[in-house]
Every structure is written in C-alpha cells, then in structure tokens.
Amino acid sequence: MSYTLADLTLDSRFFLGTATYPSPKVLHDAIKASGSQVVTVGLKRQLAPGQNTLSKSTTDGVDNAFFQMLKESGAHLLPNTAGCKTAREAITLAHMAREIFDTHWIKLEVVGDDYTLQPDPIELIAATKELIKEGFEVFPYCTDDLVTCNRLLDAGCRILMPWGAPIGSGQGLVNPFALRILRARLPEAFLVVDAGIGSPKDAVMAMELGFDAVLLNSAVAQSHDPVRMAEAFKLAIQSGRLAYEAGIMAQQDMAVPSTQVTGRPFLL
C-alpha cells in the first residue's frame, strides 16, 4: 500500500544502504531485488581524498559511475553525513550533498562516540535546527531516547531514525521497550528503525512494533548472498507491516483452546 514520505509517494518501506558491497553489480542487483525506492549514499566515501569543498563542477571528485548506477536504479537518493563529529561539519557536508546529488533530503549523522558510533544529541539537534531553516528535509539518525526525539520534532523534523543497535553490529533491536514507547508517544512522526538490524526477523519485529520503515546496509552487504538477502528483507518488511495492520493478538499467560468444546458431540 502506498504511503507518503516527505511529500513523496512510495510503495516500499525498505530503505537500503549502498556501502561495502562486493561489487557494483552486486549492489545494483541487490537494490533491484530489495524493491527499495530510497537508497542512502555517503558523500565522504564519494569525495576524492582531501576534498573538503565543492569544486567548480558539482560532480568533480565524485565517483560518477557509481552515482550514475544509483540514478539508473530509479531509487530516490538519501545522502548521509556519516563520519561527521560536529554540527558545523555535518552542515557543510549537507550543503555539498544538496549540490552534488540535487536533493534537499539529508540523513543527518553526527557521531559522539567512536566505539559505539552513538549520535551526539547536542550537535545533532543544533545541526538539525540550522538545516531545516535552510530548506532541508532532515532524516536524523538518533538513539531511542524519547526526549531527544521530541527535541528533534520540535526543531521541525517530520522523520526520525532511531537506532535498533549500534551501526553494523547486527544485534537487532536491543531495546524494544524504548522503541515501543517511541511509537506510542509519537504517533504522528514517521519512524524508521536505522542501524543494528542483523537478520530479517529483526525487520519483522520493527514493523510489527508499528515503525513505518526500516533502513539497513550491513545485513545485506555483508551476507553471503546480498541479492537473496535483499529479497528476504523485502519480504520480511512486507510481512511485518501486514501483521501490524492486521492487528496482532494479545499475549497472555493462560492457555485458551482454539477449538471450543460445547459439551455436545457433533452429528455426522
């Protein structure tokens, strides 16, 4: 079923990252198998070494073949500021991304800890406020902290991307309680579980919690068969969303017979 993301009508709720694939062809085939209509791309990875400012040609220093392949996939590009550690650095990179990729969408990442790659909430909120004033649609990568998420919404975000676990860890949803609280307390926000997903069952769980989409990279790119894994995640996300919309039965401690006993035999 179609839905609206930042004024764009989409069908797929699977957002796919584009890093660390074995080859460009595998990436191309994985995007196709995933059915994803939103793919993320890291500008720092695409810039030539040492390039920190835009050149006179907006695509100078960028892997044009890679960029062209992504454009031909038909997916909407979501540049990210991965690797940034301050608001100022992230804002600068966001402006470069807008020029190079011709989109006002930005996945905003501001890392506060090198070990966990946990977002820095102070710098993240500061960068968010500035970028929204400048016309960006900000997709902030954040933790599952409700207060931080509320501050990001107050700053003007329509989309939030709380982590399931640290980036690339494959741990799945380490704090489903916090994610459940986010969904319950922020019913109008578009919520995307981003980071830490390890297998399709994690994606099913995220969607059953009522999240609007799932973004992942490593779980597909680092699998033995990225193309087949991309398809597996596509089906898992569809299944989880259908289950959420259908209404999952409540759990209880006592047994309830599925076949009711009336006390009278059936006559055949």
Side-chain angles (χ1 to χ4, degrees):
M1 184 178 294
S2 298
Y3 67 97
T4 301
L5 173 69
D7 302 322
L8 186 69
T9 300
L10 300 173
D11 298 311
S12 172
R13 294 176 181 270
F14 183 9
F15 302 169
L16 188 62
T18 58
T20 71
Y21 284 80
S23 70
K25 183 180 187 308
V26 171
L27 170 58
H28 173 274
D29 293 347
I31 293 174
K32 183 176 180 180
S34 73
S36 178
Q37 294 170 293
V38 176
V39 296
T40 64
V41 56
L43 184 56
K44 280 204 168 206
R45 186 170 73 88
Q46 292 304 310
L47 287 174
Q51 183 178 354
N52 295 312
T53 59
L54 283 173
S55 57
K56 58 185 177 182
S57 172
T58 56
T59 55
D60 283 356
V62 177
D63 184 342
N64 287 315
F66 178 81
F67 180 37
Q68 187 62 31
M69 185 271 290
L70 293 182
K71 288 182 66 176
E72 291 174 354
S73 74
H76 195 88
L77 296 184
L78 177 58
N80 67 55
T81 62
C84 293
K85 295 185 177 181
T86 67
R88 182 48 49 196
E89 185 182 9
I91 290 168
T92 299
L93 202 62
H95 280 279
M96 295 172 68
R98 182 160 64 179
E99 293 299 319
I100 291 173
F101 298 114
D102 191 26
T103 177
H104 68 292
W105 285 16
I106 192 72
K107 179 188 172 187
L108 184 60
E109 299 183 36
V110 187
V111 172
D113 179 73
D114 290 334
Y115 182 75
T116 62
L117 299 182
Q118 180 172 327
D120 182 326
I122 308 301
E123 295 294 301
L124 180 66
I125 293 169
T128 295
K129 290 179 178 178
E130 182 66 26
L131 290 171
I132 286 179
K133 287 180 183 178
E134 296 175 0
F136 285 88
E137 186 74 55
V138 178
F139 294 62
Y141 167 60
C142 55
T143 64
D144 51 23
D145 177 68
L146 178 61
V147 175
T148 299
C149 288
N150 270 314
R151 295 294 178 269
L152 290 166
L153 293 176
D154 291 343
C157 290
R158 297 190 287 177
I159 301 119
L160 299 175
M161 307 184 81
W163 68 356
I167 292 173
S169 68
Q171 295 180 42
L173 308 187
V174 297
N175 194 348
F177 171 78
L179 295 175
R180 188 179 296 112
I181 291 295
L182 285 184
R183 180 70 287 173
R185 294 291 303 277
L186 308 175
E188 302 303 319
F190 192 96
L191 299 181
V192 184
V193 170
D194 176 15
I197 296 291
S199 77
K201 67 179 175 59
D202 302 325
V204 171
M205 185 177 182
M207 299 306 290
E208 287 184 349
L209 287 174
F211 277 71
D212 298 289
V214 169
L215 190 155
L216 59 92
N217 186 163
S218 300
V220 169
Q222 297 181 20
S223 66
H224 296 299
D225 188 335
V227 178
R228 295 186 70 184
M229 187 61 77
E231 183 178 9
F233 271 105
K234 176 182 75 171
L235 297 174
I237 291 166
Q238 291 175 349
S239 175
R241 182 66 187 184
L242 283 173
Y244 172 72
E245 292 176 346
I248 299 169
M249 67 173 289
Q251 296 182 4
Q252 56 187 25
D253 294 331
M254 63 181 293
V256 178
S258 57
T259 301
Q260 300 297 322
V261 179
T262 64
R264 297 178 61 184
F266 289 102
L267 298 178
L268 300 177

